[in-house]
């Protein structure tokens, strides 16, 4: 070792400590349980055009950010850094003699290791801490420190999962574990204490005086590491937002055969030491729970996962809005566990998760749509709400899939139709989808309570049916003959003014009048004359033609009536002669 052994360690290829580090890292990386199924160099970004979070068939699959040195380029807070005020070996204002904290995480070349260095400390022991904020949750595989001074005799590595608010120990190093940290030396980890920090007397030797290494592998020796996918305990154990290293005690100075303390402290004390570290590494992956293949800076410059699989959050740790059909889950090698959209048939923008329904469905679907629109209702907005029915000509996802019932205000017994068929509840004797007409055998009444009433049984001998409103026609009487007790007139119907009975048509027809009525000259009819006949109806007997009786009004035609009757005719045509 060169004079002034605590100076910069020029690492050469043959340097055994350097070999140790590389060997260890290689070992850690290839055995890494986070790794892709095939062994790849985790420091090389895979150049693939397709999204690693989806396979060639666009099916989601577990994806993970690349393995990195998460400490690289990040700022470290040190409790002590030399050079202020300057000493012979350390001057913060002189770049050639400065040992700033940035040297902990900078880009090193093997031939020129840059080292951070603490102040020279006198009264042993004094804690020196290095705190590294990763500014995001990472899954940490290892923490390593390469020393430019001798290694500390006792040191601790801690982690925080809440950005430095609380700290938990990761690992202790001491030649006197019990005395310094109250821990047994090299205890075994069992499934019961996988989240416990251990203490070891490894990595604490005084030698090598420079270039020594402290390297902590977070999963090494922990039983569930082989089944990391199914171990929430270890998933938690490797998660960290900050890493802190505490150098608790140096080796006794006299063992080092002190040479530069005379220069640094003016020889007032024979106990002087410092710590110097050339490289502080935190190997791991940006924590994205298997739902992102990279981390990116957000608008505020914060590092966040580039979440896929319908997830969101800094660690893709929750489902995106409207993707609550099943609970959020971390992706694993077999299942992407992507968040699934609620099925609301395009009628809702929001939904919530319901555990009961999810369990009832055999853990398939638990989404419940909120505020179904377009008059739909139900968990999936899959049927029509009250007062609406399904238009079967349209798909359920159509905005117009549900039509208003439109029940007739008089004919229907309520406003709510069958949600599937649209059938309104009809009052007695009423029929039709909206209850808008009388059923067969019923006729319209004027009562809103019973708008359709049963038609009374028709007596075939009854002369005029009470329901039929007799027509008003103009006839030209052409001839007459007698058939039994009836007078049968051959007439030509010139005009029909009331069309209640649509069978009364213009043209030749027969007009029957019973002899009994004719005898008393009511009506009185002469051949070759025109008459206006009010109260003419279809002959209800089996004789073809029309019929008049003593109730009919038969008046000899006057041309002056033509205009007035035309008016009546026009009014009738405007819809007043429609069937009820
Ligand atoms: Ca360095």
């Amino acid at each position: 070792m060169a004079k002034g052994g605590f100076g910069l360690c020029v690492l050469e290829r043959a340097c055994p400590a350097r070999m140790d580090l590389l060997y260890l890292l290689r070992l850690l990386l290839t055995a890494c349980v986070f790794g892709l199924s095939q062994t790849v160099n985790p420091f090389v970004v895979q150049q693939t055009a397709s999204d690693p979070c989806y396979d060639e068939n666009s099916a989601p699959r577990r994806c993970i950010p690349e393995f990195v040195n998460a400490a690289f380029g990040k700022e470290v807070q040190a409790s002590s850094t030399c050079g202020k005020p300057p000493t012979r070996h350390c001057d913060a204002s002189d770049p050639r003699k400065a040992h700033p904290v940035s040297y902990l995480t900078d880009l090193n070349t093997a031939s020129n290791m840059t080292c951070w260095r603490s102040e020279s400390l006198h009264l042993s022991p004094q804690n020196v801490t290095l705190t590294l904020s990763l500014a995001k949750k990472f899954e940490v595989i290892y923490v390593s420190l390469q020393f430019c001074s001798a290694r500390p005799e006792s040191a601790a590595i801690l982690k925080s999962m809440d950005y430095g608010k609380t700290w938990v120990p990761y690992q202790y190093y001491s030649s006197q574990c019990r005395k310094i940290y109250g821990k047994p030396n090299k205890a075994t980890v069992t499934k019961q204490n996988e989240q416990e920090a251990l203490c070891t007397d490894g990595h604490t030797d005084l030698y090598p005086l420079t270039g020594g290494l402290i390297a902590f592998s977070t999963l090494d020796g922990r039983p569930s590491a082989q089944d990391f996918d199914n171990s929430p305990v270890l998933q938690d154990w490797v998660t960290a937002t900050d890493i802190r290293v505490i150098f608790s005690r140096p080796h006794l100075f006299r063992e080092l055969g002190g040479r530069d303390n005379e220069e640094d402290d003016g020889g007032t004390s024979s106990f002087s030491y410092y710590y110097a570290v050339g490289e502080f590494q935190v190997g791991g992956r940006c924590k994205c729970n298997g739902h992102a293949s990279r981390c990116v800076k957000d608008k505020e410059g914060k590092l966040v996962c580039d979440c896929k699989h319908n997830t969101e959050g800094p660690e893709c740790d929750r489902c995106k809005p409207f993707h609550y059909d099943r609970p959020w889950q971390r992706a694993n090698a077999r299942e992407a566990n992507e968040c699934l959209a609620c099925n609301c048939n395009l009628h809702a923008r929001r939904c919530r998760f319901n555990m009961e329904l999810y369990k009832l469905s055999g853990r398939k679907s638990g989404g419940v749509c909120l505020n179904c629109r377009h008059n739909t209702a139900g968990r999936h907005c899959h049927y029509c709400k009250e007062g609406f029915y399904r238009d079967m000509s349209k798909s359920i996802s159509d905005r117009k899939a549900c039509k208003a019932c439109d029940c007739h205000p008089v004919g229907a017994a309520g406003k709510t139709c069958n949600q599937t068929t649209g059938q309104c509840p009809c009052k007695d004797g009423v029929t039709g989808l909206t209850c808008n007409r009388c059923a067969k055998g019923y006729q319209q009444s004027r009562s809103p309570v019973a708008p359709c009433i049963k038609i009374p049984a028709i007596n075939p001998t009854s002369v005029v049916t009470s329901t039929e409103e007799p027509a008003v026609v103009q006839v030209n009487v052409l001839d007459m003959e007698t058939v039994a007790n009836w007078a049968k007139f051959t007439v030509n119907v010139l005009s029909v003014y009331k069309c209640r009975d649509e069978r009364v048509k213009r043209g030749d027809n027969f007009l029957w009048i019973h002899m009994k009525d004719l005898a008393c000259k009511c009506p009185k009819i002469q051949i070759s004359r025109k008459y206006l006949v009010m109260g003419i109806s279809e002959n209800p007997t089996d004789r073809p033609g029309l019929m008049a009786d003593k109730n009919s009004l038969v008046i000899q035609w006057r041309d002056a009536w033509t205009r007035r009757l035309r008016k009546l005719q026009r009014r009738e045509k405007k819809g007043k002669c429609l069937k009820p």
Side-chain angles (χ1 to χ4, degrees):
M1 196 56 63
K3 180 179 178 280
F6 286 111
L8 299 180
C9 170
V10 178
L11 284 164
E12 288 163 8
R13 283 185 182 277
C15 176
R18 179 69 174 173
M19 291 273 285
D20 282 346
L21 176 66
L22 293 175
Y23 177 70
L24 179 82
L25 291 185
R26 212 171 297 132
L27 205 71
L28 284 168
L29 298 179
T30 49
C32 172
V33 291
F34 298 86
L36 304 165
S37 50
Q38 70 274 41
T39 304
V40 292
N41 182 345
F43 288 107
V44 174
V45 181
Q46 294 222 283
Q47 295 291 337
T48 43
S50 60
D51 190 335
C53 299
Y54 295 89
D55 69 12
E56 57 281 358
N57 302 317
S58 301
R61 64 176 173 197
R62 191 254 300 266
C63 51
I64 45 178
E66 58 178 327
F67 192 97
V68 292
N69 169 16
F72 181 73
K74 290 212 169 78
E75 198 184 323
V76 178
Q77 304 289 328
S79 64
S80 167
T81 300
C82 70
K84 275 182 187 176
T87 62
R88 191 174 156 191
H89 288 287
C90 186
D91 182 353
S93 59
D94 179 355
R96 287 167 302 170
K97 290 169 86 180
H99 297 284
V101 281
S102 62
Y103 282 4
L104 286 164
T105 54
D106 62 345
L107 186 64
N108 279 302
T109 59
S111 59
N112 188 18
M113 177 73 76
T114 55
C115 301
W116 158 85
R117 192 165 139 174
S118 74
E119 296 163 281
S120 283
L121 305 162
H122 301 282
L123 297 164
S124 178
Q126 283 185 44
N127 276 355
V128 172
T129 62
L130 298 178
T131 307
L132 169 72
S133 170
L134 303 170
K136 194 202 169 297
K137 282 185 181 165
F138 271 74
E139 291 188 329
V140 174
I141 299 304
Y142 72 85
V143 177
S144 75
L145 295 157
Q146 186 163 19
F147 286 82
C148 303
S149 65
R151 287 177 292 197
E153 183 269 339
S154 293
I157 301 175
L158 296 84
K159 69 146 182 173
S160 172
M161 286 174 76
D162 51 14
Y163 304 92
K165 280 194 209 85
T166 59
W167 294 89
V168 291
Y170 244 166
Q171 176 76 18
Y172 299 108
Y173 296 93
S174 179
S175 56
Q176 293 173 281
C177 280
R178 183 75 71 184
K179 184 182 168 196
I180 303 298
Y181 296 117
K183 292 264 174 192
N185 183 31
K186 288 180 175 159
T188 335
V189 190
T190 65
K191 286 223 175 207
Q192 280 68 49
N193 68 341
E194 287 192 295
Q195 283 220 42
E196 202 176 304
L198 303 184
C199 187
T200 175
D201 59 3
H203 303 267
T204 60
D205 275 2
L206 173 61
Y207 301 97
L209 289 177
T210 68
L213 185 75
I214 284 181
F216 165 58
S217 164
T218 54
L219 292 172
D220 197 25
R222 290 177 201 268
S224 298
Q226 297 310 312
D227 193 23
F228 185 81
D229 267 350
N230 296 312
S231 173
V233 171
L234 285 191
Q235 287 163 19
D236 197 57
W237 172 247
V238 301
T239 301
T241 58
D242 301 74
I243 299 291
R244 175 171 285 172
V245 184
I246 304 174
F247 304 134
S248 305
R249 242 167 51 135
H251 288 276
L252 288 178
F253 184 76
R254 62 175 172 273
E255 290 179 45
L256 306 177
R259 295 192 86 130
D260 29 315
N261 71 317
E262 290 156 29
E263 292 147 347
D264 278 352
D265 67 4
T268 55
S269 166
S270 59
F271 296 100
S272 174
Y273 63 94
Y274 64 86
Y275 300 106
V277 176
E279 192 153 32
F280 183 5
Q281 282 199 1
V282 176
R285 298 174 190 275
C286 197
K287 183 185 176 84
C288 299
N289 290 299
H291 295 306
S293 62
R294 59 179 191 153
C295 279
V296 291
K297 292 253 169 85
D298 72 359
K299 277 179 243 159
E300 285 108 48
K302 263 171 61 186
L303 195 62
V304 291
C305 296
D306 182 18
C307 298
K308 300 293 166 74
H309 304 161
N310 302 317
T311 62
E312 63 170 28
E315 278 82 42
C316 310
D317 47 343
R318 57 177 187 260
C319 290
K320 263 177 150 171
F322 199 68
H323 291 80
Y324 306 138
D325 206 37
R326 65 175 178 192
W328 177 90
Q329 262 188 289
R330 190 182 158 99
N332 60 44
R334 279 172 294 106
E335 288 290 331
N337 289 326
E338 75 278 16
C339 293
L340 297 176
C342 292
N343 171 18
C344 298
N345 291 300
L346 305 179
H347 298 306
R349 293 195 190 104
R350 297 198 299 124
C351 65
R352 63 177 168 79
F353 177 74
N354 183 298
M355 185 50 98
E356 299 300 308
L357 292 173
Y358 180 65
K359 282 179 182 164
L360 283 172
S361 74
R363 308 186 81 80
K364 282 193 173 69
S365 167
V368 178
C369 304
L370 298 173
N371 302 333
C372 291
R373 295 175 300 159
H374 312 134
N375 305 311
T376 60
R379 217 188 121 184
H380 303 299
C381 307
H382 58 300
Y383 58 80
C384 298
K385 74 175 184 187
E386 205 176 280
F388 291 82
Y389 70 98
R390 198 63 181 80
D391 180 350
M392 287 303 179
S393 70
K394 297 193 165 65
S395 122
I396 181 62
S397 55
D398 194 293
R399 290 167 66 97
K400 292 178 176 166
C402 291
K403 287 169 84 173
C405 287
D406 194 27
C407 296
H408 197 281
V410 174
K415 286 181 178 174
T416 308
C417 61
N418 180 302
Q419 276 140 305
T420 317
T421 62
Q423 178 62 55
C424 294
C426 296
K427 289 176 185 169
D428 263 0
V430 183
T431 191
L433 199 67
T434 61
C435 308
N436 62 337
R437 54 197 165 85
C438 290
K440 202 172 175 186
Y442 287 81
Q443 65 191 24
Q444 201 165 328
S445 82
R446 285 167 190 268
S447 161
V449 180
C452 294
I453 52 169
K454 241 190 171 93
I455 297 171
I458 294 167
N459 179 356
T461 58
S462 124
V463 180
V464 179
T465 61
S466 60
T467 54
E468 294 288 340
E469 201 173 314
V472 177
V473 296
Q474 185 198 8
V475 295
N476 189 7
V477 180
L478 304 171
D479 201 357
M480 187 208 121
E481 60 181 295
T482 320
V483 180
N485 291 327
W486 292 82
K488 178 188 179 190
F489 294 91
T490 305
V491 297
N492 184 265
V493 178
L494 299 169
S495 285
V496 182
Y497 298 107
K498 287 202 78 152
C499 57
R500 279 293 187 201
D501 189 341
E502 56 188 40
R503 279 160 297 195
V504 181
K505 296 218 168 66
R506 285 164 64 174
D508 288 344
N509 210 329
F510 296 115
L511 174 63
W512 299 81
I513 300 175
H514 201 270
M515 284 307 223
K516 201 169 60 191
D517 294 330
L518 202 63
C520 64
K521 292 187 180 173
C522 27
K524 180 186 172 188
I525 295 176
Q526 289 178 293
I527 308 296
S528 300
R529 289 220 176 144
K530 292 178 188 171
Y531 292 91
L532 182 71
V533 187
M534 299 185 198
I536 198 166
S537 62
E538 198 192 25
N539 197 334
T541 65
D542 55 0
R543 296 187 180 93
L546 307 165
M547 196 191 78
D549 62 15
K550 59 181 184 293
N551 298 318
S552 308
L553 188 62
V554 182
I555 320 163
Q556 201 167 337
W557 179 259
R558 290 182 202 166
D559 284 334
W561 293 344
T562 310
R563 257 183 65 200
R564 284 166 63 183
L565 285 165
R566 285 269 154 77
K567 226 187 238 173
L568 174 72
Q569 203 170 25
R570 277 199 299 274
R571 245 180 33 214
E572 286 291 312
K573 276 187 180 159
K574 270 189 193 158
K576 290 193 177 170
C577 64
L578 291 177
K579 284 256 155 194

